[in-house]
Amino acid sequence: MREGFLEDRAAELAGSSIGDWLAMALSACGANESYDAYLAALEQHVTERYAEQGTLDALMATEYSRTILTVSMLGGDPAAFGTRPDGTTVDLLDDGVWNFAGELGAQGLNGLIFALLAVDAGTYPEPERAKNTRAGIVEAIRAAQEPDGGFGLVSGASEADLTAMALQALAPYGRDETVDRALAWLKDQMQPDGTFLAYGEPSAESCAQVLLALAALGIDPEQEFGSVNPETGLAEFRKADGSYAHLLTDTEGNLMATEQAMLALCALERLPDGGCIYESKYREAA
């Protein structure tokens, strides 16, 4: 992907799930891009959403959390990002987490997980009268642990990616029994080739999320899992052009799978030789 891609496509991509995760992945991997241009387009997106509906999203807290994570990773200030119709500055942290008008867990456990990741993306102070506190969110996540040690989007079924995401969110709060039980569950779920399943099939995103959890906990994949581990499992999804497929049976790379693979490998400082591995998927578009 040529330099300047984000600047040229910022208006189109900013505020979308694919665009925001792409910007974060490129930033994490040190790609030479115009992140200021992307931030400006994203801030315009926030301002427009507030003008249209008075909020970034009234129901989906994850829209706020993803935006906060993007702004934080690209060097912006999520506590002052965008403008309300009355001319005041938008505080994404207050509107989207501390005093979110809805319920953080209404979308399932991922709403709580992403909210905690968002407020811990920087040294953001917690307001004295916050409706949702760090301690409260941590306890809500811990309380959602299944009897088998895993976590799921909804109660009753553990999933590899949600378990790994919960570990990422809980990592700053210490390795306790909750973390150890979740790690043990992940070890039991790893397939003989090092992959993890999502809806019954090996998934690159699940492997990437487990690697991100291990990186957050400061755990080396090989030391924790052995010579066959989530890192070797993720490698099974890599295509000749450097992209990553969603499933092992897919013949082509997938945008989200590649973005998550980039984030995982960068977190582990295992980016392959040659720099950015996102080359193929936007070559024609660029």
Side-chain angles (χ1 to χ4, degrees), residues 221-237:
E222 185 170 351
Q223 289 183 355
E224 187 79 11
F225 287 82
S227 59
V228 177
N229 57 67
E231 189 174 358
T232 62
L234 181 62
E236 295 291 319
F237 297 88

Side-chain angles (χ1 to χ4, degrees), residues 36-200:
D36 287 344
Y38 194 88
L39 276 174
L42 184 56
E43 187 166 18
Q44 181 62 31
H45 167 76
V46 170
T47 296
E48 290 174 355
R49 291 296 291 268
Y50 269 79
E52 293 167 0
Q53 54 193 35
T55 178
L56 190 58
D57 198 292
L59 300 175
M60 296 178 64
T62 51
E63 286 294 304
Y64 272 102
S65 297
R66 189 189 71 244
T67 305
I68 292 167
L69 286 167
T70 306
V71 175
S72 298
M73 185 168 284
L74 301 190
D77 180 7
F81 196 80
T83 306
R84 302 176 189 276
D86 64 4
T88 58
T89 302
V90 174
D91 184 340
L92 295 173
L93 291 156
D94 194 70
D95 288 1
V97 181
W98 306 129
N99 290 295
F100 181 58
E103 294 298 324
L104 293 178
Q107 295 171 252
L109 186 60
N110 63 334
L112 291 163
I113 288 170
F114 274 111
L116 190 57
L117 289 169
V119 296
D120 285 341
T123 55
Y124 304 126
E126 182 178 299
E128 290 185 7
R129 297 184 179 180
K131 169 186 170 185
N132 302 300
T133 65
R134 281 186 174 91
I137 299 170
V138 167
E139 284 309 306
I141 294 172
R142 287 174 174 159
Q145 188 167 35
E146 298 293 335
D148 60 13
F151 291 84
L153 182 63
V154 295
S155 178
S158 295
E159 304 167 49
D161 57 347
L162 263 295
T163 300
M165 288 166 57
L167 284 174
Q168 293 168 50
L170 294 174
Y173 301 90
R175 183 165 177 173
D176 57 8
E177 182 182 0
T178 300
V179 171
D180 286 338
R181 290 181 61 220
L183 282 171
W185 184 84
L186 285 173
K187 285 183 179 179
D188 288 341
Q189 297 303 309
M190 191 178 76
Q191 302 301 296
D193 60 357
T195 61
F196 289 83
L197 305 182
Y199 303 104

Side-chain angles (χ1 to χ4, degrees), residues 20-43:
D20 290 353
W21 285 112
L22 171 59
M24 283 189 272
L26 290 171
S27 175
C29 294
N32 187 15
E33 285 287 332
S34 179
Y35 300 108
D36 287 344
Y38 194 88
L39 276 174
L42 184 56
E43 187 166 18

